[in-house]
Amino acid sequence: MGNQQGRVASCVRAETSKQSAKKSLRVAVVGAGAAGLVCCRELRDEGHEVTVFEQAHAVGGTWVLDKATRSLEDLGEHVHSSMYYSLRTNLPRELMSYCNFPFTPEHLGERSVDSRRYPSHEEVLVYLDSFADTFDLRPMIRLSTRIENMEQLQDSNEWSVTSRCNGESKVEKFDAVVICNGHYAKPHIPPVDGCDEFPGLQLHSHTYRDPQTLAGKTVVVFGVCGSGQDIVRDIATACETVYLSGRSPEFLKGSKTLGIKGNIVKRSGIKKLGKNGEVWFQNGEYLDKVDAIMYCTGYEHFLPFLSKSGLVSTEGNRVAPLYQHIFEPSVAPSLSFIGVPKYVVPFPLFEYQSKYVARILSGRRQLPSREEMDLELKKFFKALEEEGRHPSTTHNMWMEQFAYVDWMQAQCGQDVAVYPKWRSDMFEANIRVKKSHPETYRDAFDDESSLAEANKEFATFAKGSPIAANSV
């Protein structure tokens, strides 16, 4: 979807502010994952006073492995990570990297633990830890600190932020808040007839960790997007047969089996669960005595600390209203979001969003008026409705992410580099090889040209001439 809101020329302009001193604001950032870390750097480099609140014990967000495996009844707010032991990235590391901090084994040096192009989750966490250290971000981050409430004060327009750490509550005031808490915290569990009577395990990919916990069991994995496709293959290493259930007509075409061993069997979407372990599928097929259902059905946006404000809705899994997927118009620019878009290359997109927000807050760049933002959002939502799109697809971007990043770069100004073309080329190659070689795409490459361009760019860092942080 990308730059959908920017299709009207009058609403994609950046109003260059008059020559004046930059404003330095007190900014609260929620989350110290990939979005929160780069947001922290960009805000600090723009001259703002930054405090980052992270509820976990370490930086890295969803990339910090929680080893516990829990049922649907015991998810709880304490489960923050969606990592499992064997997880590897589904994007090449060159593409994942922030723009001026290469995600290469050479750049990470002795800290690197996995040199593969599609590395393990441990390597991603090493990268994020290294990023935090290189740019000296840790002094601004409060770990094990949960945000309980955020509300704007009517008399001063400041934000009152209530946090809790070690059982003690604290209230502080900020000029602006930036939400970087991701969208992998609250699992989406679709309503399934008979789920309350089903005697077997019911799990969500959010708390899946190890296939051996399901060894020898009859398992149905429900959901055929990224996590479902990966997890079913992981489970298949420990089970004789695994069933992959999906509603997409495209998924049901072609071969009825998947996997290197051919022991993954396709089924249509789940229609009903039975009290004796039965599973009925939408096309009339049936399984007897299923031991476990693994829901790989995505996540819901979760903003409990903003619920009292009434500013933002997550109905239909759409975060709204957000101008350019970032700013809530009625209080803009004091409330913004980094990382809402889906089906994107996340880290560099977070980086460009953060540069844009930092410059808006400092006054170097200005937003359109509230009326203009509201009008553009109205047109955007109407276009989605006319296309028959469900609200949950509002933030889906795919290839349009690159026009969206180009738009943000233009808004930021000439001190922010243009997004290199090799990144969109590599993303397209990644989609292509995933489709043609779903079992082996992480180790079978089809992007020699874009890889050469990436390595050429990254070589400047190895030679000791990295691009300055505020010029990318």
Side-chain angles (χ1 to χ4, degrees):
M1 191 169 298
N3 192 25
Q4 315 96 317
Q5 299 170 16
R7 288 172 179 164
V8 180
S10 63
C11 292
V12 297
R13 60 181 171 79
E15 296 182 5
T16 305
S17 60
K18 296 180 180 180
Q19 295 299 319
S20 59
K22 291 193 298 183
K23 292 182 291 184
S24 177
L25 303 184
R26 298 164 299 165
V27 185
V29 175
V30 182
L37 290 174
V38 74
C39 182
C40 176
R41 186 191 70 177
E42 295 302 327
L43 290 168
R44 188 268 315 273
D45 290 353
E46 187 68 9
H48 300 296
E49 181 183 335
V50 187
T51 302
V52 182
F53 298 88
E54 170 53 54
Q55 64 183 349
H57 67 280
V59 303
T62 195
W63 297 96
V64 179
L65 176 67
D66 178 346
K67 296 181 180 181
T69 300
R70 299 177 177 90
S71 66
L72 295 185
E73 293 76 19
D74 189 34
L75 285 177
E77 292 187 5
H78 55 286
V79 184
H80 310 310
S81 172
S82 301
M83 293 298 105
Y84 53 92
Y85 290 114
S86 67
L87 184 141
R88 293 173 63 184
T89 65
N90 59 8
L91 292 172
R93 62 193 307 150
E94 300 86 6
L95 188 56
M96 288 183 67
S97 68
Y98 296 120
C99 293
N100 70 336
F101 194 71
F103 186 15
T104 63
E106 294 78 14
H107 195 73
L108 293 177
E110 294 182 355
R111 298 178 75 161
S112 176
V113 296
D114 187 351
S115 63
R116 293 175 295 181
R117 288 195 63 203
Y118 290 76
S120 65
H121 59 87
E122 292 99 337
E123 180 82 343
V124 181
L125 186 58
V126 165
Y127 176 69
L128 294 174
D129 272 324
S130 182
F131 183 86
D133 292 336
T134 299
F135 295 101
D136 195 25
L137 304 181
R138 296 187 192 275
M140 294 174 278
I141 300 170
R142 298 183 193 172
L143 299 176
S144 302
T145 305
R146 178 191 295 272
I147 295 296
E148 295 188 325
N149 187 52
M150 287 182 160
E151 55 185 331
Q152 192 174 39
L153 303 175
Q154 298 302 314
D155 57 344
S156 64
N157 290 328
E158 293 176 307
W159 284 83
S160 174
V161 176
T162 304
S163 62
R164 181 173 293 274
C165 180
N166 296 325
E168 295 186 6
S169 184
K170 185 176 184 180
V171 179
E172 298 167 270
K173 293 181 180 179
F174 294 89
D175 301 306
V177 295
V178 187
I179 311 303
C180 303
N181 70 331
H183 39 74
Y184 297 108
K186 184 180 180 181
H188 170 66
I189 311 295
V192 177
D193 189 19
C195 64
D196 293 338
E197 296 181 340
F198 183 75
L201 286 171
Q202 294 187 72
L203 307 167
H204 190 277
S205 58
H206 184 55
T207 57
Y208 172 74
R209 298 294 178 260
D210 184 354
Q212 293 305 316
T213 60
L214 298 169
K217 298 182 183 297
T218 300
V219 181
V220 175
V221 175
F222 186 23
V224 297
C225 288
S227 63
Q229 294 282 354
D230 285 345
I231 286 175
V232 75
R233 287 168 168 82
D234 200 40
I235 294 173
T237 64
C239 296
E240 184 175 340
T241 304
V242 185
Y243 298 90
L244 180 60
S245 168
R247 295 169 175 166
S248 165
E250 187 67 26
F251 160 72
L252 295 172
K253 293 178 181 179
S255 174
K256 297 300 181 182
T257 60
L258 303 170
I260 294 176
K261 298 190 297 182
N263 63 335
I264 300 170
V265 181
K266 290 182 181 179
R267 287 289 185 266
S268 61
I270 294 177
K271 181 180 181 180
K272 181 181 178 181
L273 304 180
K275 62 182 179 180
N276 295 314
E278 308 96 332
V279 177
W280 288 270
F281 299 95
Q282 291 176 331
N283 65 353
E285 292 179 313
Y286 162 85
L287 288 176
D288 191 15
K289 296 182 180 179
V290 171
D291 298 304
I293 307 293
M294 174 68 70
Y295 294 94
C296 295
T297 46
Y299 296 82
E300 300 175 10
H301 290 282
F302 191 50
L303 305 167
F305 46 82
L306 277 176
S307 60
K308 293 181 181 179
S309 72
L311 290 169
V312 177
S313 166
T314 59
E315 184 178 356
N317 216 22
R318 167 195 284 172
V319 186
L322 293 186
Y323 173 72
Q324 290 294 344
H325 308 277
I326 299 175
F327 289 103
E328 200 288 329
S330 70
V331 294
S334 70
L335 174 61
S336 58
F337 292 74
I338 303 296
V340 171
K342 299 178 181 179
Y343 302 111
V344 297
V345 181
F347 294 9
L349 184 138
F350 301 162
E351 186 173 3
Y352 276 87
Q353 286 186 318
S354 298
K355 292 177 185 295
Y356 180 45
V357 168
R359 285 159 175 76
I360 293 293
L361 290 177
S362 73
R364 279 213 285 160
R365 294 292 183 269
Q366 294 181 2
L367 289 169
S369 68
R370 176 180 175 180
E371 291 72 21
E372 289 175 297
M373 289 189 284
D374 285 340
L375 178 61
E376 186 56 35
L377 279 166
K378 184 178 180 180
K379 292 178 179 178
F380 173 47
F381 293 149
K382 183 179 180 181
L384 290 178
E385 185 178 351
E386 290 175 348
E387 292 173 10
R389 300 274 295 276
H390 188 273
S392 63
T393 68
T394 297
H395 309 293
N396 295 0
M397 289 195 173
W398 295 105
M399 288 306 298
E400 291 190 16
Q401 67 181 291
F402 300 104
Y404 176 67
V405 171
D406 288 344
W407 182 87
M408 286 187 291
Q409 183 275 327
Q411 309 308 293
C412 288
Q414 294 182 353
D415 64 332
V416 174
V418 173
Y419 205 48
K421 187 176 182 301
W422 67 259
R423 287 184 178 265
S424 60
D425 291 343
M426 189 175 288
F427 185 73
E428 284 190 276
N430 171 257
I431 294 175
R432 185 170 61 246
V433 74
K434 261 187 208 176
K435 188 173 182 179
S436 61
H437 297 86
E439 314 299 336
T440 60
Y441 76 89
R442 289 178 171 87
D443 300 297
F445 313 127
D446 184 25
D447 58 357
E448 290 82 2
S449 177
S450 53
L451 178 59
E453 289 298 315
N455 287 334
K456 181 180 178 181
E457 178 181 310
F458 294 159
T460 62
F461 295 86
K463 294 176 182 177
S465 56
I467 304 171
N470 63 357
S471 66
V472 179

